[in-house]
Amino acid sequence: MEHPLYKQIQNDIRGRIRSGELQAGALVPSEKELAQQYGVSQITSKNALNGLVEEGLLVRFRGKGTFVREHGSQEGPEHGADTKRTIAIILPTMKTKIDQQLLDGLERYCADRGYDLLFRITRESPEEESTAIEQFRKRGVDGFIIFPVEQESYNTAILRLSLDQVPLVLVDRFLKEIKTYSVSSDNYGGVREAVSGLLAAGHTRIAYLSPEITNSVTDDRAKGFEAAFMEQGLPIDKTLWCMLDLETIGEGRGQQEIERFLRVRSDVTAVFAVNAELARYAYNAIREIWQGTGSAPLLAAFDDPDLEGIPYVHQRLDDVCRIAVDLLSEQLSGTYEPRREVVPVQWTDTMIPRP
């Protein structure tokens, strides 16, 4: 089985160092030169060099280039090749398949780079999130990958990490006011494409189910819904929006509220839920309200609700995890160029019946 391209580049550089072709202190080909030599993107060649810097084999000097580390040199990253990095992964829940896939992918890509992991579930508690961050900082972890809890503002502990330039990657969220590293799916584009598909099939009375807008994800998904209507020159009826507060969802009253909402809107022909949890609540509510009538609205969702026949927006979670670890590795190697990475999604184009 062939190694990934960045690993092939790394293996070749290691071989050139072992053979003496690249001696201690020698300048290593640049990202651009390696990209041209191997016929890869500069992102791939950059990842290759970053990995070797992390190992302690190479050292990078800003404005000068990347060099073979001299034996005993103290320049460059703080950790040598024999010291493992320790990464803290903080997730809000493990309730859904999405959560499980994220943890699996992050663990796998961290293991590929030889990182030790510390892991904490905050159970959607801002206090637990703050405590976890502070405890991990005291333990001296080298970097953080955080999927923040849903709340109206970002935790001050996260803001402090960013301001202190501690290696940090936010997953599925981004800070609008402060530059930091983040990776998320294309929440705006995914909802826009899905709702455009529903509109194209003749569904104009579409109920929208979402947690209250408290972060970049719920904001982007709501804007994607609005964009689909505006592009068709259609009015946006906010009376068809069911925005559930976080307390209602946390107390397990989500399905009850969705059922109450839909009972007085029996003319809707489609329901779009912004996550799998709300989609399952809506599915049960629709069965309760419209059972046996033959006029139940179509249900669609962001993320696979694990329900047969439900069209949904598919996230490329493996890519999200890979990019998150790549962004963290970049920071651990001494580079700090904060940015937001957005991963494309796919709207499952199953046949959508017309109303």
Side-chain angles (χ1 to χ4, degrees):
M1 180 178 176
E2 287 192 3
H3 292 297
L5 291 172
Y6 79 92
K7 285 186 179 282
Q8 292 181 31
I9 297 172
Q10 290 177 336
N11 289 338
D12 286 353
I13 292 175
R14 290 190 191 98
R16 293 172 68 184
I17 293 172
R18 284 195 297 269
S19 71
E21 181 183 346
L22 287 173
Q23 297 187 2
L27 177 65
V28 175
S30 68
E31 295 164 9
K32 184 176 181 180
E33 291 169 338
L34 288 171
Q36 293 173 343
Q37 179 182 344
Y38 288 89
V40 298
S41 68
Q42 271 191 238
I43 293 177
T44 298
S45 58
K46 183 175 185 176
N47 286 339
L49 291 180
N50 285 345
L52 295 175
V53 169
E54 284 180 56
E55 289 180 19
L57 198 62
L58 305 180
V59 61
R60 178 176 283 124
F61 296 98
R62 189 177 296 276
K64 296 182 179 179
T66 305
F67 299 81
V68 178
R69 182 188 289 274
E70 296 188 27
H71 183 69
S73 170
Q74 298 301 310
E75 301 291 341
E78 295 178 1
H79 297 262
D82 296 329
T83 304
K84 273 194 171 185
R85 305 283 188 154
T86 300
I87 307 303
I89 296 179
I90 302 176
L91 299 178
T93 74
M94 284 299 291
K95 293 190 300 185
T96 70
K97 185 163 64 175
I98 300 299
D99 300 326
Q100 294 158 14
Q101 289 173 333
L102 280 172
L103 178 58
D104 178 74
L106 290 172
E107 190 281 332
R108 179 159 33 86
Y109 283 110
C110 282
D112 284 347
R113 290 182 178 268
Y115 298 155
D116 285 333
L117 296 182
L118 295 173
F119 173 63
R120 185 71 57 84
I121 300 173
T122 60
R123 293 171 179 80
E124 290 289 4
S125 165
E127 293 77 21
E128 285 294 323
E129 187 175 75
S130 290
T131 299
I133 292 170
E134 294 306 321
Q135 287 178 346
F136 286 144
R137 287 197 76 170
K138 287 178 181 177
R139 292 182 67 169
V141 301
D142 297 290
F144 289 82
I145 298 176
I146 302 177
F147 190 139
V149 302
E150 292 196 71
Q151 58 178 336
E152 292 185 10
S153 60
Y154 279 98
N155 213 313
T156 55
I158 292 179
L159 296 175
R160 197 173 300 116
L161 287 175
S162 182
L163 292 172
D164 292 345
Q165 294 189 9
V166 174
L168 164 70
V169 178
L170 298 181
V171 175
D172 206 40
R173 306 279 195 274
F174 65 94
L175 301 177
K176 293 183 178 179
E177 303 84 6
I178 299 175
K179 293 192 71 176
T180 191
Y181 283 85
S182 71
V183 56
S184 62
S185 294
D186 185 2
N187 295 295
Y188 171 88
V191 174
R192 174 176 164 272
E193 183 180 359
V195 175
S196 295
L198 295 175
L199 292 173
H203 295 278
T204 56
R205 297 285 293 171
I206 305 174
Y208 182 68
L209 311 180
S210 172
E212 59 185 320
I213 297 174
T214 59
N215 54 52
S216 58
V217 175
T218 46
D219 186 42
D220 279 353
R221 292 183 186 181
K223 287 177 178 176
F225 186 95
E226 293 174 332
F229 274 78
M230 289 188 291
E231 287 168 3
Q232 297 296 319
L234 297 171
I236 300 167
D237 185 355
K238 290 292 183 76
T239 67
L240 297 182
W241 285 37
C242 179
M243 309 299 288
L244 299 170
D245 62 70
L246 301 181
E247 183 178 355
T248 295
I249 297 172
E251 293 177 352
R253 295 184 284 113
Q255 183 172 322
Q256 177 185 339
E257 286 301 307
I258 289 172
E259 185 173 330
R260 181 193 59 77
F261 177 84
L262 292 176
R263 278 193 183 277
V264 295
R265 292 166 179 80
S266 58
D267 62 335
V268 299
T269 64
V271 176
F272 186 84
V274 301
N275 61 42
E277 181 181 11
L278 296 189
R280 288 192 293 272
Y281 293 159
Y283 178 80
N284 292 331
I286 289 169
R287 291 183 66 185
E288 181 68 26
I289 298 168
W290 279 275
Q291 71 173 354
T293 66
S295 58
L298 171 74
L299 174 62
F302 200 107
D303 288 330
D304 183 2
D306 207 19
L307 298 167
E308 187 176 354
I310 305 299
Y312 64 92
V313 177
H314 171 71
Q315 296 192 70
R316 291 161 42 182
L317 294 177
D318 190 73
D319 287 343
V320 170
C321 295
R322 175 180 53 78
I323 292 170
V325 176
D326 285 348
L327 292 177
L328 191 66
S329 298
E330 177 180 305
Q331 296 169 74
L332 292 170
S333 70
T335 299
Y336 187 75
E337 298 173 359
R339 60 191 181 276
R340 180 189 178 197
E341 296 283 353
V342 179
V343 179
V345 296
Q346 181 181 5
W347 165 239
T348 58
D349 52 357
T350 53
M351 185 66 68
I352 302 174
R354 299 183 68 85

